[in-house]
Amino acid sequence: MRWEGNEQSDNVEDRRSGGGGGFGGLPIGGRSVGLGTVAVAVIAGWIFGINPLTLLGMMSGGEPPAQVQQQGPAQKPPAEDREAAFVSTVLRNTEVVWSDVFRQNGSNYTPTRLVLFRGATQTACGAGQAAMGPFYCPGDQKVYIDLSFYDTLSRQLGAPGEFARAYVIAHEVGHHVQDELGVTGKVDQMRGRLSQAQNNALSVRVELQADCFAGVWAHHSQESKRWLDPGDIEAAMNAAAKIGDDALQRSAGRAVVPDSFTHGSSAQRQRWFGAGYKTGKIQDCDTFAARSL
């Protein structure tokens, strides 16, 4: 992926030094969020034993809102930080692509902000921790990532490559696109009326749509910039396969239980990323209307 020298986003906050607001003991709780939009990576669910739905339940409900501690001014990443530059470049391209896509569909796109943190940080959705993997918080409309996740993705999960890393960012931005389109609110309204199995199934559709939106971004990004090398799309497909619920359950030594899926199987994640990449149309990402995933 030939990304060096391209424009970088100004919507990146660097909290890794603590100057932009650290964890500070912020408790989880009190903020109502949409199911699946706090996109806890499935590696958290099956390698670290965290159920994403349990986290969502703790982040919503009848408790008073968590008090977010005052943060200092948002800091920019150091100019010489290559990983941060990569993330900033990919984020900027998502801003350009989604602004164009929304404009073509008669709407306006408000970009998300991306927060780099180390270990833990405070969010409007409660405590954000590295073990959760990258996630999107609709409460503050920000994407959060501890860049050590990329080492996990490459070394532990077997999904190397810069475009695999770009896919991760694009997926989380896809959750922000859902928020912008009103999907998040509609899903949140449904969540309380469903059983656990139905909630899981709904979460899968939310996550697969974010994968499809990542494919839509990749389509338009490559069409305009021609910055992908041979094998880049395959790297993203490989990443999608490695973080499928079935693959992660197997790698954790668990039985594969489809009713427990919250993000989709490897084949489903590949299929929906591929669907978005093939046409570049958000209309082809309606996972909620699909009879078969």
Side-chain angles (χ1 to χ4, degrees):
M1 182 178 181
R2 301 181 298 277
W3 60 270
E4 291 94 342
N6 284 277
E7 186 180 8
Q8 297 182 25
S9 175
D10 292 326
N11 291 314
V12 177
E13 299 178 27
D14 191 352
R15 299 184 186 174
R16 292 172 295 175
S17 66
F23 175 51
L26 180 72
I28 293 176
R31 185 73 185 217
S32 178
V33 297
L35 174 68
T37 51
V38 176
V40 180
V42 279
I43 101 170
W46 295 108
I47 294 180
F48 296 103
I50 301 170
N51 186 329
L53 294 179
T54 300
L55 287 173
L56 284 164
M58 294 171 70
M59 291 179 185
S60 60
E63 299 179 12
Q67 295 298 312
V68 179
Q69 296 180 352
Q70 185 65 37
Q71 297 183 17
Q75 295 185 0
K76 299 294 183 183
E80 67 278 7
D81 187 327
R82 180 178 171 82
E83 282 194 326
F86 171 77
V87 169
S88 299
T89 301
V90 173
L91 182 66
R92 176 56 186 157
N93 191 252
T94 68
E95 294 167 354
V96 172
V97 166
W98 284 114
S99 292
D100 287 344
V101 170
F102 271 56
R103 190 180 306 112
Q104 292 166 13
N105 286 273
S107 187
N108 294 316
Y109 175 71
T110 302
T112 183
R113 291 184 66 82
L114 186 147
V115 177
L116 303 175
F117 72 98
R118 183 176 289 114
T121 193
Q122 58 191 24
T123 84
C125 296
Q129 301 182 35
M132 295 164 61
F135 64 94
Y136 173 72
C137 172
D140 53 25
Q141 296 188 313
K142 294 180 180 180
V143 171
Y144 291 84
I145 182 169
D146 183 320
L147 293 178
S148 65
F149 172 79
Y150 284 149
D151 289 333
T152 300
L153 185 68
S154 177
R155 298 176 185 177
Q156 295 184 29
L157 298 181
E162 288 181 329
F163 198 67
R165 299 182 175 197
Y167 155 72
V168 170
I169 299 170
H171 173 92
E172 299 308 332
V173 172
H175 284 301
H176 178 65
V177 173
Q178 290 174 319
D179 205 2
E180 290 282 284
L181 293 173
V183 174
T184 300
K186 292 178 180 179
V187 169
D188 196 33
Q189 292 174 6
M190 298 172 61
R191 182 167 60 89
R193 304 193 300 267
L194 302 177
S195 67
Q196 180 73 52
Q198 289 172 324
N199 268 320
N200 287 356
L202 183 61
S203 177
V204 167
R205 291 180 185 269
V206 170
E207 296 297 331
L208 292 179
Q209 186 177 65
D211 278 332
C212 188
F213 286 163
V216 170
W217 163 74
H219 173 98
H220 292 285
S221 176
Q222 175 65 351
E223 194 173 62
S224 62
K225 298 195 75 65
R226 298 294 173 185
W227 60 351
L228 300 186
D229 292 317
D232 280 344
I233 292 298
E234 289 77 9
M237 284 288 193
N238 177 56
K242 297 296 186 181
I243 57 177
D245 284 323
D246 52 343
L248 288 171
Q249 287 180 2
R250 290 190 189 97
S251 68
R254 300 171 182 261
V256 175
V257 183
D259 284 349
S260 70
F261 289 179
T262 57
H263 288 65
S265 69
S266 297
Q268 289 169 337
R269 301 199 70 166
Q270 289 181 313
R271 174 193 170 187
W272 284 99
F273 174 83
Y277 180 69
K278 181 179 180 180
T279 69
K281 297 179 180 179
I282 57 174
Q283 295 84 354
D284 291 336
C285 293
D286 190 355
T287 56
F288 301 96
R291 297 184 63 181
S292 174
L293 296 175

